[in-house]
Amino acid sequence: MSHLRRIRLRLFLTGTIVLLSSALWAAEGVIYRSPDASGEFCHLKFPAIREDTLWTNRPVLKDPSEGDIIDFYGPCNHDPLGRAEVLNQRANARRQRDRIDGETD
């Protein structure tokens, strides 16, 4: 009986660790990370920020299944929800809106 308990406890702990590690990875938002030889610069892929949250204090990444993926080359510590990325995506959204507005005139 105690042997069965140990097996169940190990399975439970293993499952918990797997779930927590995948949750932490998902919370970061990075889908793909490939550092260069120096380890200072990376090729990152992560979902774009949802446009309805882009101008809020708490931006949220889109679901990766939507296919709106940012292909980024730069520092490995780049934050997909950091200030620099938010400002970049805001500027892109403005340019896209201006381009669409210019086509309708």
Side-chain angles (χ1 to χ4, degrees), residues 6-19:
R6 279 191 226 139
I7 291 173
R8 287 200 313 213
L9 179 61
R10 285 182 184 155
L11 286 173
F12 174 75
L13 291 175
T14 303
T16 303
I17 290 169
V18 168
L19 286 174

Side-chain angles (χ1 to χ4, degrees), residues 62-80:
K62 291 181 178 180
D63 189 301
S65 65
E66 292 181 42
D68 194 359
I69 305 297
I70 305 293
D71 208 359
F72 175 82
Y73 295 90
C76 290
N77 64 352
H78 183 74
D79 181 5

Side-chain angles (χ1 to χ4, degrees), residues 29-93:
V30 176
I31 298 168
Y32 175 81
R33 178 187 310 261
S34 177
D36 68 358
S38 71
E40 293 180 25
F41 291 93
C42 285
H43 176 205
L44 304 175
K45 290 185 180 183
F46 50 88
I49 298 171
R50 288 181 19 202
E51 196 161 345
D52 61 321
T53 66
L54 193 54
W55 280 272
T56 67
N57 292 335
R58 294 186 181 236
V60 177
L61 295 176
K62 291 181 178 180
D63 189 301
S65 65
E66 292 181 42
D68 194 359
I69 305 297
I70 305 293
D71 208 359
F72 175 82
Y73 295 90
C76 290
N77 64 352
H78 183 74
D79 181 5
L81 291 172
R83 181 161 173 75
E85 189 60 38
V86 169
L87 292 175
N88 185 40
Q89 289 190 40
R90 283 179 182 174
N92 287 339

